[in-house]
């Protein structure tokens, strides 16, 4: 069953930012597409003869909700064959081949330590899934800090939803951080690293990192330098 591929149907597409789209995919042969918050699926796109050059993996952005529909949020990569196909060939009603769920980037069994969700760009996808899952199941949880780095305010994904979640989910802290913003932005400026360094006061914590390799590499070094153990760090690499 490890390599079972499914036919998925794209039921909805929404342009979320200038270069990011949300894709809803239904898997008709499954009554319920069962996955853990934080896992991903792999798409097999008709863009190359070789299998491994056709495969593209994306974190599931929606929480497990007992249905057979999942949401992916995908950023257009200049010159990227995969996103070029998804943005220019795929429309509502298109069929996609996918396998999953895959991956071990999931919530710890015991939610007994602070959770730092640190991400850039579409790296927010697994954390949106996790936070909405915690809320939907009313799970007792420690403080959750979602530290989300983008260039500009227009790049933030799920911004109003995360602000609302901050109101509704006890001890959930949404901290968008912009590296290139004008004076109208009243939130945090700079990069994500200074924020978790400021918030992580040696309390026991899990650090979940999702985004581009440079951010993850730097974050790992800095978290270890704070005195945490490498087992406290969980990562999902993009690109």
């Amino acid at each position: 069953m490890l390599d079972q591929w499914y036919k998925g149907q794209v039921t909805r597409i929404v342009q979320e930012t200038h270069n990011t789209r949300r894709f809803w995919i239904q898997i008709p042969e499954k009554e319920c597409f069962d996955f853990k918050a934080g896992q991903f699926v792999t798409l097999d796109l008709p863009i190359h003869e070789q299998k491994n050059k056709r495969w593209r993996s994306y974190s599931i952005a929606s929480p497990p909700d007992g249905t057979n529909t999942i949401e992916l949020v995908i950023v257009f990569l200049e010159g990227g064959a995969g996103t070029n196909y998804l943005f220019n060939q795929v429309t509502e009603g298109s069929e996609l081949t996918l396998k999953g769920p895959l991956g071990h980037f999931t919530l710890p069994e015991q939610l007994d330590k602070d959770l730092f969700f640190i991400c850039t760009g579409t790296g927010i996808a697994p954390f949106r899934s996790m936070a909405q899952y915690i809320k939907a199941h009313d799970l007792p949880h420690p403080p959750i800090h979602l530290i989300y780095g983008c260039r500009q305010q227009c790049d933030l994904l799920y911004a109003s939803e995360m602000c609302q979640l901050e109101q509704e989910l006890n001890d959930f802290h949404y901290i968008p951080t912009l590296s290139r913003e004008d004076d109208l932005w009243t939130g945090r400026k700079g990069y994500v690293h200074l924020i978790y360094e400021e918030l992580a006061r040696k309390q026991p914590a899990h650090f979940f990192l999702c985004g581009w390799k440079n951010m993850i590499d730097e974050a790992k070094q800095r978290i270890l330098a704070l005195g945490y153990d490498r087992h406290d760090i969980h990562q999902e690499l993009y690109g």
Side-chain angles (χ1 to χ4, degrees):
M1 292 296 281
L2 190 64
D3 246 10
Q4 181 162 6
W5 292 88
Y6 300 102
K7 290 284 179 213
Q9 186 170 39
V10 178
T11 56
R12 189 175 169 216
I13 300 173
V14 169
Q15 187 81 28
E16 188 71 2
T17 68
H18 74 285
N19 65 346
T20 311
R21 285 185 193 168
R22 298 164 70 180
F23 294 80
W24 282 261
I25 303 169
Q26 185 180 34
I27 300 100
E29 60 202 276
K30 301 279 285 181
E31 207 165 292
C32 162
F33 189 75
D34 209 11
F35 66 96
K36 290 180 177 173
Q39 288 189 300
F40 65 88
V41 291
T42 295
L43 306 181
D44 185 356
L45 304 174
I47 53 176
H48 204 278
E49 284 75 59
Q50 281 173 258
K51 268 190 210 171
N52 59 344
K53 294 194 174 170
R54 295 200 307 258
W55 293 358
R56 298 291 186 277
S57 296
Y58 300 101
S59 293
I60 302 171
S62 45
D65 60 3
T67 71
N68 62 356
T69 297
I70 57 172
E71 180 189 330
L72 307 180
V73 60
I74 298 172
V75 63
F76 182 79
L77 293 178
E78 212 57 60
T83 56
N84 194 44
Y85 177 80
L86 288 165
F87 277 61
N88 295 315
Q89 305 292 323
V90 171
T91 57
E92 292 177 356
S94 292
E95 203 172 73
L96 290 170
T97 302
L98 66 123
K99 69 173 174 178
L102 302 160
H104 304 286
F105 189 72
T106 53
L107 287 166
E109 292 291 314
Q110 300 292 322
L111 294 179
D112 53 2
K113 299 179 190 176
D114 281 29
L115 295 172
F116 284 89
F117 293 162
I118 303 161
C119 56
T120 48
T122 52
I124 192 174
F127 301 138
R128 180 203 186 214
S129 179
M130 289 176 187
Q132 290 289 12
Y133 176 78
I134 287 170
K135 177 178 175 262
H137 294 270
D138 206 13
L139 298 180
H141 62 87
I144 302 169
H145 309 275
L146 173 59
I147 304 167
Y148 180 27
C150 279
R151 285 182 177 172
Q152 295 170 298
Q153 196 170 351
C154 60
D155 298 321
L156 291 169
L157 298 165
Y158 306 115
S160 57
E161 183 184 314
M162 290 301 119
C163 290
Q164 191 179 345
L165 198 56
E166 194 169 33
Q167 304 298 314
E168 297 171 353
L169 184 59
N170 181 42
D171 236 346
F172 173 75
H173 309 279
Y174 170 56
I175 311 164
T177 308
L178 305 181
S179 58
R180 297 183 192 171
E181 195 43 71
D182 57 35
D183 299 334
L184 296 173
W185 174 249
T186 55
R188 297 297 300 250
K189 296 175 182 174
Y191 294 96
V192 294
H193 307 294
L194 298 176
I195 310 236
Y196 61 77
E197 285 179 332
E198 179 189 305
L199 292 170
R201 302 272 183 212
K202 294 287 189 290
Q203 75 273 35
H206 287 285
F207 294 87
F208 283 82
L209 312 173
C210 189
W212 297 107
K213 184 177 187 304
N214 293 354
M215 183 278 283
I216 288 183
D217 288 347
E218 185 172 343
K220 283 197 293 195
Q221 287 178 341
R222 287 179 177 237
I223 292 163
L224 293 173
L226 290 173
Y228 289 94
D229 187 87
R230 61 187 179 84
H231 298 297
D232 298 326
I233 303 172
H234 317 267
Q235 70 180 65
E236 193 77 284
L237 205 57
Y238 276 29

